[in-house]
Amino acid sequence: MKDIIGKANLSVKVALMLKIKDARVVVTCPGRNFVTLRIETADGVYGLGDATLNGRELAVASYLTDHVIPCLIGRDAHQIEDIWQYLYKGAYWRRGPVTMSAIAAVDMALWDIKAKAANMPLYQLLGGACRTGVMVYGHANGQTVEETVEEALKYRAMGYKAIRLQSGVPGLPSTYGVSKDKMFYEPADGSLPTENVWSTAKYLRAVPQLFEAARLVLGEEVHLLHDVHHRLTPIEAARLGKSLEPYRLFWMEDPTPAENQEAFRLIRQHTTTPLAVGEVFNSIWDAKDLIQNQLIDYIRATVVHAGGITHLRRIANLADLYQIRTGCHGATDLSPVTMAAALHVGLSIPNFGIQEYMRHTVETDAVFPHAYTFQDGSLHPGDAPGLGVDLDEALAAKYPYSRAFLPVNRLEDGTLHSW
Ligand code: KDG
Ligand code: MG
């Protein structure tokens, strides 16, 4: 008996102290900018964290290099919670997208290290799989209703069970979220911000027509989603939610900005269309009132912009108490490192809802080789130890940083939109 116990102990021998020896930031632009943190321990185990903040990439790179990395050297990589608290509380200046993306990168890299040291895929350390895979939604968009529905049919043929639909608005020259490229969508499109023109009246007329056509062609089975991109006031959003009820959306996303969390109460009072919000949230405090008052159905906070795996799980736990599920942001400006982290979290939490999945380009996938795979409308993180993502630094070096901004939005009379 003693022998068996001895052997068992030997077979799971894990270093109980992993001293951080080195850390560095890699900025690369394989089609779009990514900021990646690489933390290495004295034992040679390394971990990766995504720190990409679209349009503000270098601010996070500097925050990490100048203010965070010097505080990490010599610490025990196993102390993920303590390091999180140290970087959050110790900074004095809490929250904000730059700080929380930097903390997130450290947190992801440390979880990657811990799971590699344990020789397990991260989801096993997070409690194990609660489901066979993580249902994802893809983006169908087009200039016209017909083009958008045609794109949606392609997603359905690929096996997607959920599809987001965005269409150009008749009478407006361009619309945010409706790209020229089909499978690969990149909203940061200029070395200075481009300017879109917006008309709420035209938009509110167009969207129900899109979903009416989509249901007719696509039928009842497939989940349909729509992103409002924070363009409406609460009462306008309430009206849109009501007018979309016949088409039974999976969700209406970002109907209005959520700095004032109370604003969602008004939308909620008027419509049964499920509500999703949170891709720009940085912390649990951005979502607390929305969750505790059950003003939303899906929380879209994401690993990279909301303080990492540690903090996202805290948000998901709070949401679970109020029957709110996750629907994490997963656009192309979130690197494969974030995608992998989101999949490990999504697989292991009880209240997972859906995961956004915008495919990265071939160039990005080559710089970040990864273990996650798509099948039957779901992603699985794979069973490689850690996050299951690597960074080809030699290839990354061939793609230097290139400044790119997200567009701004103006009303037809020139007023800067949205609130
Ligand atoms: O960086 C901003 C994009 O990630 C965002 O516009 C995409 O709204 C978006 C979404 O839902 O994916
Ligand atoms: Mg969105």
Side-chain angles (χ1 to χ4, degrees):
M1 183 64 181
K2 207 175 159 203
D3 260 12
I4 294 169
I5 294 170
K7 271 184 197 150
N9 281 344
L10 264 184
S11 70
V12 293
K13 201 169 163 212
V14 171
L16 290 180
M17 161 82 182
L18 283 171
K19 203 172 183 164
I20 297 174
K21 188 185 82 181
D22 195 19
R24 62 174 179 275
V25 173
V26 176
V27 180
T28 179
C29 185
R32 69 143 9 267
N33 293 311
F34 293 110
V35 179
T36 309
L37 174 68
R38 186 185 192 277
I39 298 180
E40 193 170 333
T41 66
D43 311 51
V45 185
Y46 67 90
L48 299 178
D50 179 22
T52 309
L53 183 60
N54 205 359
R56 296 293 183 274
E57 294 87 357
L58 299 185
V60 192
S62 159
Y63 192 102
L64 281 166
T65 304
D66 299 321
H67 307 294
V68 172
I69 289 175
C71 305
L72 292 178
I73 308 303
R75 286 181 189 278
D76 180 2
H78 273 317
Q79 291 186 276
I80 298 175
E81 182 68 39
D82 185 63
I83 290 175
W84 195 97
Q85 298 292 337
Y86 179 89
L87 293 175
Y88 182 83
K89 295 176 179 164
Y92 189 82
W93 311 106
R94 298 183 185 196
R95 306 190 282 151
V98 174
T99 299
M100 296 304 279
S101 300
I103 294 176
V106 175
D107 187 77
M108 272 182 253
L110 296 182
W111 277 110
D112 194 18
I113 289 171
K114 192 185 278 292
K116 281 178 179 166
N119 200 25
M120 283 184 183
L122 177 63
Y123 72 84
Q124 293 290 10
L125 287 193
L126 299 180
C130 284
R131 52 195 59 81
T132 52
V134 161
M135 179 170 73
V136 296
Y137 68 92
H139 286 213
N141 62 74
Q143 294 308 322
T144 62
V145 166
E146 293 71 31
E147 226 180 275
T148 308
V149 173
E150 219 169 275
E151 284 305 303
L153 284 169
K154 288 184 199 161
Y155 276 93
R156 206 179 56 177
M158 283 191 283
Y160 281 81
K161 297 185 168 46
I163 308 167
R164 187 186 98 161
L165 303 181
Q166 307 292 131
S167 191
V169 176
L172 298 182
S174 61
T175 310
Y176 184 75
V178 180
S179 70
K180 289 171 216 91
D181 298 329
K182 290 291 176 250
M183 207 46 86
F184 305 108
Y185 160 64
E186 182 45 67
D189 60 0
S191 61
L192 286 174
T194 55
E195 302 206 354
N196 288 329
V197 180
W198 182 256
S199 158
T200 296
K202 291 182 173 122
Y203 170 76
L204 287 180
R205 275 199 300 273
V207 184
Q209 291 168 15
L210 168 65
F211 282 90
E212 185 182 11
R215 272 290 172 228
L216 274 176
V217 176
L218 296 164
E220 289 299 323
E221 277 301 305
V222 67
H223 298 304
L224 299 181
L225 299 80
H226 182 66
D227 191 347
V228 182
H229 291 298
H230 309 109
R231 298 292 192 246
L232 301 177
T233 63
I235 198 69
E236 290 163 352
R239 191 175 127 206
L240 179 63
K242 248 181 144 164
S243 63
L244 292 176
E245 279 170 19
Y247 316 114
R248 295 163 301 284
L249 265 61
F250 186 90
W251 78 33
M252 175 168 77
E253 173 186 338
D254 290 347
T256 199
E259 283 100 319
N260 174 17
Q261 297 179 42
E262 190 61 26
F264 277 67
R265 191 180 296 283
L266 196 145
I267 307 173
R268 197 62 154 174
Q269 280 165 351
H270 288 283
T271 182
T272 55
T273 295
L275 303 175
V277 71
E279 67 179 44
V280 301
F281 289 0
N282 314 125
S283 112
I284 199 164
W285 301 103
D286 294 331
K288 178 178 160 289
D289 297 344
L290 288 167
I291 292 173
Q292 290 185 329
N293 294 311
Q294 293 185 290
L295 300 180
I296 54 172
D297 301 279
Y298 295 91
I299 177 72
R300 281 183 44 73
T302 182
V303 177
V304 57
H305 301 134
I309 292 161
T310 298
H311 198 61
L312 184 65
R313 289 216 304 164
R314 198 155 280 145
I315 295 172
N317 284 341
L318 178 67
D320 188 39
L321 298 181
Y322 296 93
Q323 297 161 293
I324 293 165
R325 285 182 273 178
T326 61
C328 295
H329 189 202
T332 43
D333 48 296
L334 287 67
S335 93
V337 180
T338 286
M339 182 54 73
L343 297 179
H344 286 281
V345 172
L347 201 64
S348 60
I349 56 172
N351 56 327
F352 167 79
I354 199 168
Q355 169 67 48
E356 182 179 16
Y357 176 44
M358 279 167 77
R359 286 163 187 259
H360 287 111
T361 59
V362 175
E363 291 78 14
T364 298
D365 283 340
V367 169
F368 296 95
H370 51 75
Y372 58 80
T373 49
F374 174 84
Q375 203 187 353
D376 292 336
S378 291
L379 281 169
H380 191 283
D383 284 320
L387 288 171
V389 184
D390 217 333
L391 171 64
D392 181 336
E393 288 196 60
L395 191 56
K398 294 189 179 155
Y399 300 108
Y401 168 76
S402 166
R403 194 179 69 199
F405 285 101
L406 289 164
V408 299
N409 207 30
R410 290 187 188 276
L411 300 179
E412 286 167 307
D413 71 355
T415 307
L416 201 71
H417 199 53
S418 338
W419 281 263

